[in-house]
Amino acid sequence: VKEWKELFSIQSKALGQEHNEVLVTRNNLANALLSTGQVRTAYNHHKAVMDMRSRKQKDSADTLVSMFNVACCACLNGDLETAHKTLLSATQLGFCDVQSLKTDHDLGMLRDTMHDDFEKLIKKCEGNKRKKEKPKLVLESPDRYDMPNVHV
């Protein structure tokens, strides 16, 4: 944790709080804090990263992962309402990591106590995944091909 704190401090001063490298380091710091049981501090860092990423691009993959991390920390803090609201927002913006939603241990309390609401989140997430995986129809111009006797 100490090394991540030092790196975060150095990078913040040199690059500014919202620089992508600083956000990645701050995310790693939050994960290190979480692994040592410092859930509230980890939540604060994950929330800051989420807020900064949201200002840049609300529905980017990085923002959605940050939202997931905030929800995990909120759940571990016993704040199930914030965890649920954050995951709901993430799924509305396109979050589609069904596997993490179903299996991440940090969300266990939310899965167990808000079962119906959690099932709705899973269904929305599955729908997002299907949309993302759906092949796109690409129409090509006939003049793209060299076909001398065909008139369009």
Side-chain angles (χ1 to χ4, degrees):
V1 173
K2 183 180 175 187
E3 293 83 9
W4 286 116
K5 282 182 182 178
E6 289 172 2
L7 182 58
F8 172 62
S9 176
I10 292 166
Q11 285 182 334
S12 295
K13 290 173 187 162
L15 303 171
Q17 293 266 331
E18 295 198 21
H19 190 279
N20 192 54
E21 298 246 348
V22 178
L23 294 176
V24 169
T25 297
R26 191 168 194 178
N27 184 71
N28 289 332
L29 169 60
N31 289 335
L33 289 163
L34 193 58
S35 72
T36 62
Q38 299 176 61
V39 180
R40 184 145 322 272
T41 307
Y43 171 85
N44 292 335
H45 283 287
H46 275 309
K47 176 107 172 52
V49 170
M50 179 189 77
D51 291 343
M52 287 182 240
R53 285 179 170 163
S54 291
R55 283 195 293 275
K56 288 182 180 181
Q57 189 178 356
K58 207 170 201 131
D59 62 350
S60 75
D62 288 339
T63 302
L64 299 178
V65 169
S66 291
M67 294 173 88
F68 182 83
N69 290 338
V70 166
C72 287
C73 288
C75 192
L76 290 172
N77 277 323
D79 188 354
L80 301 183
E81 193 59 39
T82 295
H84 178 259
K85 281 175 38 180
T86 305
L87 286 173
L88 182 60
S89 294
T91 58
Q92 290 169 342
L93 291 170
F95 183 76
C96 62
D97 187 349
V98 178
Q99 190 64 29
S100 291
L101 196 59
K102 287 181 175 181
T103 62
D104 194 296
H105 297 290
D106 297 342
L107 297 174
M109 191 184 319
L110 185 64
R111 271 192 300 274
D112 293 345
T113 59
M114 297 178 73
H115 184 74
D116 293 342
D117 290 326
F118 200 83
E119 284 300 314
K120 289 176 187 173
L121 290 173
I122 290 172
K123 288 194 184 324
K124 177 67 175 159
C125 195
E126 289 170 339
N128 292 341
K129 186 173 182 177
R130 279 191 301 278
K131 283 181 196 171
K132 189 175 181 179
E133 293 173 347
K134 187 177 182 181
K136 292 185 174 133
L137 179 63
V138 177
L139 299 176
E140 295 180 357
S141 172
D143 60 342
R144 176 181 165 166
Y145 302 98
D146 186 23
M147 300 169 68
N149 295 329
V150 177
H151 299 286
V152 181

